[in-house]
């Protein structure tokens, strides 16, 4: 009698140990930290808006996995324990007991998913509203101009003082455009295309928005705001298939502390005696000489080699 009682307990504890070991192996073998696992493949965000998006993503995936585990367990349980068996003399048995027209079960399967959709809708709508929130007077306003196949960034050094000369950084086939921005300030991005539809995407912002040729025509909101938490270099990409060289339509966001940013803007206004025109982004960053984040060329990506004759059989 005792043996009969103890056996299932021993089996259960062994199964528990195996499950715990499997989780431990999965965690250590992949080398993922807890934070990495909860990001479910997303990069580390660098804006408060990105943190909001990440929270929504994490808890949506957790909820989906919880539902998935329940559904997979039910499928497994049904397939294993309620399959059609044969009788002792090899004849097929009658079908197991059927459950159609079970009103409480049908109400349950309508009400529970409805509640789940409502909860997901609530958190999606509140997150969207927070991420798209705009302050009336942003500290910096940038006009982002997308064209086949590069970017131009035009911004006032001071969005209040409209008499300042407009500073512009444009990419070329040989140079990735650098969008230099201050940390901890509210930045407004006004998106516009000069030809086809592009998409402004910085993975570390956890944000992407289509760049349209005439957004007013369809009442599209072509601007958004964010603020960047810390200094760094973050790759930006076009995320809308826009033609032959779409895949190389990259840029780089360079976030600098507000004092370095102010110096950068001053340097952009100064005339370079060597070229007799105002400093380019690369020249201003070189003159600023602030270490890693003043590197004059993109760190996170590199220009596409447009020299067709440079191709050999090996590449
Ligand atoms: Cu594009």
């Amino acid at each position: 009698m005792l043996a009969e009682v103890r056996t299932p307990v021993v089996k259960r504890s062994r199964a528990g140990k195996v499950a715990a070991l499997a989780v431990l192996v999965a965690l250590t073998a992949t080398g993922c930290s807890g934070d990495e696992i909860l990001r479910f493949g997303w990069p580390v965000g660098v804006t408060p808006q990105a943190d909001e998006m990440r929270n929504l993503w994490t808890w949506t995936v957790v909820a989906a996995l919880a539902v998935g585990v329940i559904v997979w367990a039910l499928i497994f349980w049904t397939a294993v324990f309620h399959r059609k068996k044969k009788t002792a003399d090899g004849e097929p048995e009658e079908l197991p007991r059927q459950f159609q027209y079970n009103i409480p079960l049908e109400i349950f399967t309508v009400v529970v998913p409805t509640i789940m959709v409502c909860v997901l809708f609530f958190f999606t709508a509140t997150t969207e509203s927070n991420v798209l929130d705009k302050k009336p007077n942003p500290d910096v306003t940038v006009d982002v101009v997308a064209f086949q196949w590069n970017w131009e960034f035009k911004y006032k050094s001071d969005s209040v003082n409209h008499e300042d000369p407009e500073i512009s950084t444009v990419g070329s086939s040989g140079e990735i455009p650098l969008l230099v921005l201050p940390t901890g300030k509210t930045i407004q991005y006004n998106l516009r295309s000069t030809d086809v539809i592009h998409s402004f995407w910085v993975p570390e912002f956890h944000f992407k928005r289509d760049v349209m040729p005439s957004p007013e025509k369809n009442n599209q909101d072509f601007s958004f705001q964010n603020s960047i938490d810390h200094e760094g270099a973050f790759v930006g990409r076009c995320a809308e298939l826009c033609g032959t060289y779409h895949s190389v339509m990259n840029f780089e966001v360079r976030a600098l502390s507000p004092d370095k940013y102010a110096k950068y803007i001053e340097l952009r206004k100064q005339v370079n005696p060597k070229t007799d025109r105002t400093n380019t982004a690369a020249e201003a960053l070189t003159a600023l000489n602030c270490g890693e984040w003043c590197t004059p060329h993109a760190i996170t990506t590199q220009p596409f080699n447009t020299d067709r004759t440079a191709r050999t059989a090996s590449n």
Side-chain angles (χ1 to χ4, degrees):
M1 186 65 196
L2 268 177
E4 275 175 31
V5 174
R6 276 178 189 161
T7 309
V9 176
V10 171
K11 270 187 184 166
R12 217 174 295 149
S13 72
R14 198 173 291 163
K17 278 181 192 163
V18 170
L21 192 65
V23 171
L24 191 69
V25 168
L27 291 181
T28 49
T30 54
C32 293
S33 65
D35 178 62
E36 262 180 297
I37 290 169
L38 285 175
R39 278 192 272 116
F40 293 111
W42 278 23
V44 177
V46 296
T47 68
Q49 291 80 2
D51 294 340
E52 294 239 7
M53 299 286 281
R54 212 296 302 271
N55 268 333
L56 178 69
W57 167 243
T58 293
W59 294 112
T60 306
V61 176
V62 168
L65 282 175
V67 172
V69 166
I70 293 168
V71 171
W72 294 325
L74 283 172
I75 291 171
F76 182 77
W77 174 68
T78 313
V80 172
F81 297 106
H82 294 278
R83 67 186 186 279
K84 197 174 175 183
K85 299 182 187 89
K86 287 184 175 171
T87 54
D89 53 0
E91 288 300 310
E93 251 187 7
E94 291 280 304
L95 280 172
R97 195 157 67 88
Q98 302 297 294
F99 286 93
Q100 67 265 50
Y101 310 118
N102 185 321
I103 300 299
L105 187 64
E106 287 185 13
I107 292 173
F108 176 81
T109 56
V110 170
V111 170
V112 170
T114 305
I115 293 171
M116 285 159 64
V117 168
C118 290
V119 170
L120 282 175
F121 179 80
F122 171 78
F123 285 109
T124 304
T126 49
T127 304
E128 187 177 319
S129 148
N130 293 340
V131 168
L132 299 182
D133 187 40
K134 284 184 206 160
K135 289 183 182 163
N137 292 308
D139 300 305
V140 176
T141 303
V142 191
D143 288 338
V144 175
V145 183
F147 58 93
Q148 286 172 318
W149 289 275
N150 225 310
W151 302 86
E152 182 175 12
F153 304 112
K154 297 195 272 190
Y155 45 91
K156 309 277 184 192
S157 57
D158 175 351
S159 60
V160 181
N161 182 0
H162 294 287
E163 287 178 10
D164 273 343
E166 200 172 62
I167 297 166
S168 160
T169 307
V170 65
S172 65
S173 59
E175 201 165 306
I176 299 283
L178 301 178
L179 174 53
V180 180
L181 294 169
T183 55
K185 300 280 182 189
T186 301
I187 302 149
Q188 174 156 323
Y189 307 78
N190 297 328
L191 311 177
R192 183 170 296 272
S193 164
T194 58
D195 39 51
V196 299
I197 302 172
H198 300 274
S199 183
F200 179 92
W201 179 39
V202 179
E204 273 92 351
F205 286 178
H206 295 175
F207 189 91
K208 177 161 58 178
R209 162 130 335 150
D210 274 6
V211 186
M212 314 295 279
S214 330
E216 300 87 358
K217 275 189 186 167
N218 296 315
N219 281 332
Q220 282 153 339
D221 184 2
F222 56 88
S223 67
F224 71 95
Q225 293 182 354
N226 69 11
S227 63
I228 303 171
D229 295 332
H230 58 82
E231 291 193 325
F234 316 108
V235 70
R237 304 186 190 282
C238 176
E240 180 71 51
L241 183 60
C242 60
T244 313
Y245 298 111
H246 154 73
S247 66
V248 293
M249 200 173 143
N250 294 343
F251 60 95
E252 182 173 287
V253 170
R254 193 67 66 78
L256 300 178
S257 64
D259 56 322
K260 287 180 197 159
Y261 173 78
K263 285 181 196 153
Y264 167 81
I265 290 296
E266 280 311 308
L267 284 162
R268 286 299 307 268
K269 291 184 213 165
Q270 287 175 14
V271 174
N272 187 330
K274 285 183 196 160
T275 58
D276 218 22
R277 51 169 174 69
T278 51
N279 281 317
T280 62
E283 287 163 354
L285 284 171
T286 305
L288 188 55
N289 190 21
C290 71
E292 187 183 6
W293 307 131
C294 278
T295 307
H297 301 293
I299 299 168
T300 55
T301 178
Q302 47 186 280
F304 175 59
N305 188 353
T306 50
D307 179 7
R308 298 297 81 200
T309 59
R311 285 189 159 228
T312 64
S314 60
N315 58 15

